[in-house]
Amino acid sequence: MPSLDFDLEESAFRAFYAQHSPALEDACAALTGLVAATVTLDGGVDIAKVEGRVKDADECIRKFVRKYRPALEESNTPYDIQSYITDLVGVRVVCLYEDELEKIAQIVRAHFAVIDVTDKVSAVESTEASFGYKGLHLDLRLSAAERALPEHAAYAHLPFELQVRTIIQDSWSVLDHRIKYKKSIPGQLKRRINVLSALFELADREFRQIRDATAEELLQAPDETAEPLEDTAEDDSTLAPSKTQAPSSELNAFTFLKIATHFFKDFEFEPSKVDSFVDDVQAWSRGMTRARFNALMRETVGVVKRYKQHFEEQNPQASFNPYTVIRHCLYLSNKAAFRPALRNSARESFEAWLHEHGEQKAH
């Protein structure tokens, strides 16, 4: 029975916690799995991680004392601690960008019953004195349909807290908990904490804006694949850039993708590999332009594809992916400059085939 005896209620809560701890761990694993399946399969957002935890008993009691005990005892209202702890089980979804927080919230609202929502973003932005972390907290339970399923019977009516944060917010929350005495500290230290918090917030914003700018660059990258372009910025024998070459004419990740996806429409070029590959091309060529890259691909890709067919017939288990094709195209266009593009064995095999078929130079 609820009472006003805190010691008695604390003892009762600890006994409850000890008794139900294994079941809570099982419920946590199951609910974390359900949330992960929901946001990854139905979201259309990039999820960094989904993790769960069962709240520590001491932490639960501290929360009750801080948030509920004073008002309950002031109003002479009997209580039991368990009823006020709605986040015994907590699940955290960490996404990449701040504009995905609400998208994830909408997804879980459609699949779970919402008890309450705490918008940490608005809470932090409403005061200049706070240096807490941003994010969304939702108190949830299974939907009526899910609660009716036999496999969820053990935790069907158990509420749980869902935290939705960006990677930056999650990192700040970890560091924030390591900063002691944040409220009653000298103004100079408080200011430094505020500066640090602002830097994290700026990083969150910059990551989102870089994502948007990257998408815009891909859309705006010149389409140079329809017709070969004249390129006077470099000599075919040296590939050295002209001093007057405009920065926009360079081969970069965006213009590479525009050209490469024209030649290999069904291949998905991973951003990290593109970035590294273009960097290698620029190192080999000392300033490859997008027009020159487009032209040399047009000049050489037919020969290289014929060699690719021969190579795969002779080596059924070997891989000859688009990057390998492009490396051979580069080498064929200028063997001296792009010698590093191929390993010795690959270069010797290619040269032997070229000699056999009389295709030493592409036309």
Side-chain angles (χ1 to χ4, degrees):
M1 293 290 294
S3 72
L4 286 169
D5 186 334
F6 176 75
D7 291 337
L8 178 64
E9 295 304 326
E10 178 183 0
S11 178
F13 176 77
R14 290 188 181 279
F16 160 82
Y17 188 96
Q19 179 182 353
H20 292 88
S21 184
L24 289 170
E25 293 290 348
D26 291 342
C28 180
L31 292 168
T32 301
L34 286 172
V35 170
T38 299
V39 298
T40 54
L41 297 178
D42 192 31
V45 294
D46 292 322
I47 303 299
K49 63 179 178 179
V50 181
E51 57 189 6
R53 63 97 182 99
V54 176
K55 201 179 191 76
D56 180 75
D58 291 337
E59 189 180 352
C60 291
I61 292 168
R62 285 195 298 269
K63 177 179 180 179
F64 175 81
V65 170
R66 183 179 70 254
K67 293 187 67 174
Y68 305 110
R69 183 184 177 187
L72 289 168
E73 293 185 352
E74 178 69 22
S75 63
N76 207 36
T77 303
Y79 57 79
D80 65 282
I81 295 175
Q82 178 192 341
S83 300
Y84 291 86
I85 307 300
T86 58
D87 60 345
L88 264 173
V89 171
V91 179
R92 180 178 302 151
V93 176
V94 179
C95 58
L96 300 186
Y97 306 104
E98 59 184 352
D99 59 354
E100 294 176 336
L101 296 174
E102 184 54 37
K103 293 178 184 177
I104 295 172
Q106 291 176 359
I107 294 166
V108 298
R109 286 188 184 106
H111 291 83
F112 295 88
V114 179
I115 302 169
D116 192 22
V117 177
T118 302
D119 186 350
K120 292 276 187 175
V121 175
S122 299
V124 170
E125 291 181 346
S126 65
T127 173
E128 296 179 358
S130 173
F131 21 81
Y133 58 86
K134 292 184 178 183
L136 287 174
H137 288 193
L138 299 92
D139 290 333
L140 306 172
R141 62 164 51 98
L142 294 179
S143 66
E146 292 288 339
R147 292 197 299 269
L149 296 176
E151 59 265 35
H152 300 325
Y155 46 88
H157 297 282
L158 179 69
F160 67 98
E161 180 188 66
L162 175 67
Q163 299 176 350
V164 188
R165 302 174 182 166
T166 67
I167 288 178
I168 299 296
Q169 292 166 359
D170 194 49
S171 299
W172 169 252
S173 71
V174 173
L175 294 173
D176 185 51
H177 281 86
R178 301 297 186 272
I179 300 173
K180 299 178 180 179
Y181 315 116
K182 289 176 291 187
K183 296 183 178 180
S184 300
I185 60 176
Q188 183 181 10
L189 286 178
K190 186 175 292 188
R191 179 178 178 277
R192 290 172 66 181
I193 295 173
N194 275 324
V195 169
L196 182 61
S197 176
L199 289 173
F200 273 76
E201 184 175 341
L202 179 63
D204 231 340
R205 186 182 308 161
E206 284 296 309
F207 270 115
R208 175 175 54 82
Q209 292 178 350
I210 289 171
R211 177 205 61 188
D212 294 343
T214 298
E216 187 66 22
E217 284 285 348
L218 286 170
L219 290 174
Q220 293 183 358
D223 187 357
E224 299 174 353
T225 57
E227 295 293 337
L229 297 182
E230 181 181 356
D231 186 5
T232 59
E234 59 209 346
D235 178 78
D236 183 53
S237 62
T238 64
L239 297 178
S242 164
K243 292 181 180 179
T244 60
Q245 178 180 314
S248 60
S249 70
E250 71 176 356
L251 180 73
N252 55 37
F254 306 115
T255 50
F256 171 86
L257 280 171
K258 196 82 170 185
I259 296 168
T261 52
H262 170 79
F263 289 101
F264 308 98
K265 293 181 174 61
D266 298 327
F267 186 76
E268 184 175 349
F269 289 88
E270 297 179 25
S272 60
K273 291 185 178 180
V274 167
D275 199 37
S276 178
F277 186 75
V278 173
D279 191 52
D280 285 342
V281 172
Q282 292 294 14
W284 298 328
S285 67
R286 294 177 292 142
M288 174 71 75
T289 66
R290 64 186 189 230
R292 179 58 197 155
F293 178 68
N294 180 53
L296 73 83
M297 286 297 298
R298 286 180 174 277
E299 292 168 2
T300 61
V301 72
V303 173
V304 174
K305 284 188 174 180
R306 288 195 292 275
Y307 172 67
K308 174 180 182 292
Q309 181 179 357
H310 162 80
F311 181 87
E312 290 177 338
E313 289 173 354
Q314 300 298 316
N315 306 274
Q317 305 302 319
S319 172
F320 208 107
N321 62 35
Y323 284 109
T324 307
V325 172
I326 295 171
R327 285 174 177 272
H328 282 76
C329 288
L330 291 168
Y331 174 75
L332 186 57
S333 73
N334 190 313
K335 296 180 180 180
F338 292 108
R339 185 179 178 86
L342 296 180
R343 295 179 178 177
N344 289 341
S345 58
R347 190 167 55 248
E348 291 169 1
S349 176
F350 190 33
E351 283 288 356
W353 182 87
L354 290 171
H355 180 75
E356 181 182 350
H357 292 78
E359 298 194 81
Q360 288 294 324
K361 182 69 175 178
H363 298 287

